[in-house]
Amino acid sequence: MTTVGILGGGQLARMLALSGAPLGLRFLVLDSTADACAAQFVPSLQADYRDQPALAEFASRIDVATFDFENVPAESAQWLAERIPVFPSPRALAIAQDRLAEKSLFRELGIGTPDFVDIDSRDSLLAAIEKIGMPAILKTRRLGYDGKGQFRIKSQADIDAAWESLGSQASSVGLILEAFVPFQRELSVVAVRGKDGEFRAWPITENWHESGVLSASLAPATVDEALAAAAIANARRVAEALDYVGVFALELFVHEGRLLANEMAPRVHNSGHWTIEGAETSQFENHLRAVLGLPLGNTRSIGESCMLNWIGRLPSAEPILAEACGHWHDYGKTSRVGRKVGHATLRAGTRAELAEALVRVGDALERTGQVQPVLDRLSQG
Ligand code: AMP
C-alpha cells in the first residue's frame, strides 16, 4: 500500500486524492488550517509547515511527499527531502516560489519575459521605472498568488502609493518591478515530466482572469500550431533545467505574436482542471504517476472543454448538471470573497456545441460576463 503525503490540503489535494483512489493509493494531508477542504475525506494532520515534530510524523506515515501549495517553506521541503522522496524537488520549488529566480531562469533559457528588475529600495524602484517605463507592476517576489501582492503603477502619481503598499516587504519577501504587457491572450502549458525524464504536455489552454484570479479556461486553445509548439518547447526547457518531476504549469502572455513567460506553478494548476473530463489522463492522475515513477498517461484532449471557476460563492449547480456535457466540482468550502470554492467543466464534441452550452449556462446563471470572452474566442474559430 503506497501513501502519498500532500503538503497543503486545499482543492488541489482533494482532486489529487480523488484521482489517486482508482490507482489504489492512500493519502495523508498536512495543512496549517482547521478547515482544509481535502481533510473532509483524506486523513490529515493540522500543523504549521515549520512544526518539526508534525513534519516528522508526516514523514513517518508516507512513502512520498508532494505539494498542493507552493508556498510551503523551502526549509521544510528540504527537511522532508532528507528523509523521504519529495517531488518536485525542493530546488525546483524554491525557484518557482521566487518571481525573480524564475524569470531569471526563463531569461537564461532564452524564453521571453516581460522586462523585470529586482527592487530593494524606493530609489531602486525609481531607477527601475526610468528603465522599464510605465505602466508597470510592482509585485512581491515570494508569497504572492492570484494577483495578491501586486500594485499597478500607471503614472508617477501611483509611485508613492505603490511603495506605501508594498515597500515594507522589500526586506522580507522581496520585490520585483515588471513591465505591464498589453497582451492579446493569456495561455498556459500544463505539462508533466516523469522521473525518467519523459515529458508530456496537454494541449495549450487559453485563460481569462478577473481581478488577477482565473475566471475561465478554454482547451484546446485556438492557437496556431507553431505558437503551440513554441509554448510547449519553452515548458520542456524549464522542466529539463529544473530536472522537474511532476505536473507544472507555465503561464504565458501572447503579445504581438510573441510568447512572454509570466510565471510557473510547481504543481497541478487551476488552468488544468479541464483535464479531469477533457483529457485521456488528468493532470492529477499524471502528477501522481510521475511522483510514483509509474508510466505517464496520454495527455490528448477528448473534445472541446471550457472550465468556469466559481469564486467567492457557488452558483446553482442545476444549469450545469442539466447540460449533457456539464461536470460540477464543489470543493466543500464555505463562501468567502475571492476564495476558489468550485468549478465546472463543459466538455463538448465540437466548438459549436460548446458555445451553445456556454450560452445556456451563462444565461441561466446570470454569468454572461464570465462566458462572453470564451464565446468571442470560439466565434473567431
Ligand atoms: P500573476 O499573479 O503574476 O499570475 O498575475 C495575475 C494576473 O495579472 C495575470 O494572469 C495577468 O492577467 C495579470 N498580470 C500579471 N503580470 C502582468 C504583466 N507583467 N503585464 C500584464 N498583466 C499582468
Side-chain angles (χ1 to χ4, degrees), residues 39-195:
Q40 288 162 17
F41 60 84
V42 181
S44 66
L45 296 172
Q46 187 199 336
D48 189 273
Y49 297 115
R50 295 180 197 273
D51 178 338
Q52 259 190 31
L55 287 173
E57 184 188 347
F58 183 64
S60 73
R61 290 172 56 187
I62 61 179
D63 299 293
V64 56
T66 189
F67 309 91
D68 117 312
F69 171 62
E70 69 261 47
N71 291 324
V72 167
E75 315 82 73
S76 303
Q78 186 55 46
W79 192 90
L80 279 174
E82 285 158 16
R83 287 155 181 86
I84 46 161
V86 175
F87 299 109
S89 69
R91 174 177 163 255
L93 187 74
I95 291 175
Q97 278 176 346
D98 180 348
R99 292 185 191 276
L100 182 67
E102 70 184 353
K103 285 210 166 63
S104 303
L105 174 69
F106 298 156
R107 199 176 258 178
E108 269 166 42
L109 296 173
I111 299 169
T113 66
D115 259 352
F116 63 91
V117 178
D118 184 19
I119 304 294
D120 58 11
S121 64
R122 194 174 185 283
D123 282 348
S124 66
L125 173 62
L126 295 176
I129 288 173
E130 266 308 293
K131 179 166 176 265
I132 283 183
M134 287 178 286
I137 310 186
L138 185 62
K139 298 182 178 179
T140 55
R141 277 173 55 180
R142 287 182 290 276
L143 301 181
Y145 64 100
D146 285 347
K148 294 182 180 70
Q150 302 193 4
F151 200 105
R152 289 195 186 186
I153 301 175
K154 298 193 194 84
S155 70
Q156 294 285 342
D158 298 326
I159 296 176
D160 284 340
W163 191 251
E164 184 82 357
S165 157
L166 297 177
S168 63
Q169 299 186 53
S171 55
S172 52
V173 293
L175 298 174
I176 183 173
L177 186 77
E178 291 179 18
F180 180 85
V181 181
F183 54 78
Q184 285 77 50
R185 292 182 178 205
E186 288 197 83
L187 304 177
S188 57
V189 183
V190 181
V192 60
R193 187 166 176 274
K195 285 183 184 169

Side-chain angles (χ1 to χ4, degrees), residues 260-337:
L260 299 174
N262 175 34
E263 64 174 346
M264 78 169 286
R267 52 170 168 75
V268 286
H269 191 250
N270 198 167
S271 71
H273 290 0
W274 65 269
T275 60
I276 297 174
E277 293 88 9
E280 188 69 44
T281 314
S282 78
Q283 62 165 349
F284 300 100
E285 180 172 340
N286 256 349
H287 183 68
L288 295 170
R289 291 192 193 205
V291 304
L292 293 168
L294 298 170
L296 301 180
N298 194 300
T299 50
R300 73 169 174 227
S301 56
I302 302 170
E304 313 285 332
S305 295
C306 175
M307 192 268 336
L308 299 171
N309 248 2
W310 309 135
I311 311 292
R313 63 172 187 84
L314 287 174
S316 160
E318 261 141 66
I320 300 291
L321 299 177
E323 288 296 329
C325 67
H327 302 273
W328 182 253
H329 295 262
D330 174 346
Y331 304 153
K333 294 181 177 179
T334 50
S335 302
R336 191 167 72 212
V337 176

Side-chain angles (χ1 to χ4, degrees), residues 146-148 152 183 186 207-216 308-311 338 340 367-374:
D146 285 347
K148 294 182 180 70
R152 289 195 186 186
F183 54 78
E186 288 197 83
N207 302 306
W208 290 268
H209 292 79
E210 271 172 34
S211 311
V213 184
L214 186 67
S215 165
L308 299 171
N309 248 2
W310 309 135
I311 311 292
K340 291 177 176 172
R367 283 178 182 256
T368 49
Q370 189 175 3
V371 302
Q372 195 55 51
V374 186

